[in-house]
Amino acid sequence: MATRPDATIARTTEDLFQSLADGSIDFGVTSIDDWPLHLPYGIALAAVCERQDPLDVLLTHPPLTQATLPAGARVCVNGSARAAQLRRYRPDLIVVSPGHAVLEHPADAVVFPARALGRIDPREWNVGRLEPEILLPPPLQGIFVVAMRESERATLQSMRAALHEPGVGAAAAAEAGFRSALAAGPSATLAALATWSDESRGGGWMDLAVRILTPDGTQMLEGVTSERVESEQHGRDLGAALALDLVGQGALDLLDLSAEAES
């Protein structure tokens, strides 16, 4: 079960799927932050791996926090859900996206995934953790999976037995179920985080928190639920039920506003 000599790291999920389909690689490990709602024909998830830190941090220099940043400070944020939540929490800040504008006018702070802190020089930046009460992460952040061709059944089963984390799989299913029930793509202004308050091998209590916002952060729907979850399907059902509850409160109207802002 080895990759072929010419296998490369896929830059996007589309690259990964294509490389699997044409036989360029035998399996691939990828983040599922931008995972599609449906897998291509013939592609399967062999395993959901141990979750890395799903939260974000605030990088500043000199040391500041999200509460002590001065009014008008420029904060570089990647992703619509992070930007909307920061605008809601601190409407006096200037939220900018990564790009040339940041190079021309350096940001005072950067919102950065905690799982990627290994790339940061700690001598140059002060690192402050952003708790989910302030910035709930986008669905599936920090979750990595092993993808394979569905036809490789024996190898797929052995990979799953060796690497699959059932608790992370159920959490991923809950967050994905929330997004799927809304038929929302990766760019939608959604946030979701499933955590375990009491996890055991046979199941446990899962806490699921979700948010739907308008891009400017002025409108937000929030849902929180806790339930004993015994399987990945149960987790998916929990996420879908919470999504439908928010639909009854006007979630689709907020998603329509997000789509209009993108267009």
Side-chain angles (χ1 to χ4, degrees), residues 180-221:
S180 296
L182 296 168
S187 61
T189 314
L190 305 178
L193 181 63
T195 56
W196 294 95
S197 56
D198 177 26
E199 182 184 2
S200 61
R201 187 173 181 81
W205 283 94
M206 178 183 288
D207 300 321
L208 177 62
V210 301
R211 290 174 185 162
I212 303 173
L213 303 97
T214 52
D216 61 7
T218 57
Q219 299 182 60
M220 182 179 77
L221 289 174

Side-chain angles (χ1 to χ4, degrees), residues 154-244:
T155 304
L156 192 151
Q157 291 174 2
S158 62
M159 183 78 78
R160 186 174 181 85
L163 296 177
H164 185 65
E165 294 284 344
V168 182
E175 296 173 24
F178 167 69
R179 194 178 77 181
S180 296
L182 296 168
S187 61
T189 314
L190 305 178
L193 181 63
T195 56
W196 294 95
S197 56
D198 177 26
E199 182 184 2
S200 61
R201 187 173 181 81
W205 283 94
M206 178 183 288
D207 300 321
L208 177 62
V210 301
R211 290 174 185 162
I212 303 173
L213 303 97
T214 52
D216 61 7
T218 57
Q219 299 182 60
M220 182 179 77
L221 289 174
E222 188 170 25
V224 180
T225 188
S226 181
E227 189 172 313
R228 185 166 181 82
V229 171
E230 307 290 346
S231 66
E232 291 183 16
Q233 185 57 54
H234 194 171
R236 185 174 296 276
D237 293 343
L238 182 65
L242 193 51
L244 293 178

Side-chain angles (χ1 to χ4, degrees), residues 74-77 94-109:
R74 294 167 55 84
V75 184
C76 180
V77 180
I94 299 173
V95 177
V96 298
S97 300
H100 294 298
V102 175
L103 297 178
E104 295 169 3
H105 305 283
D108 300 293

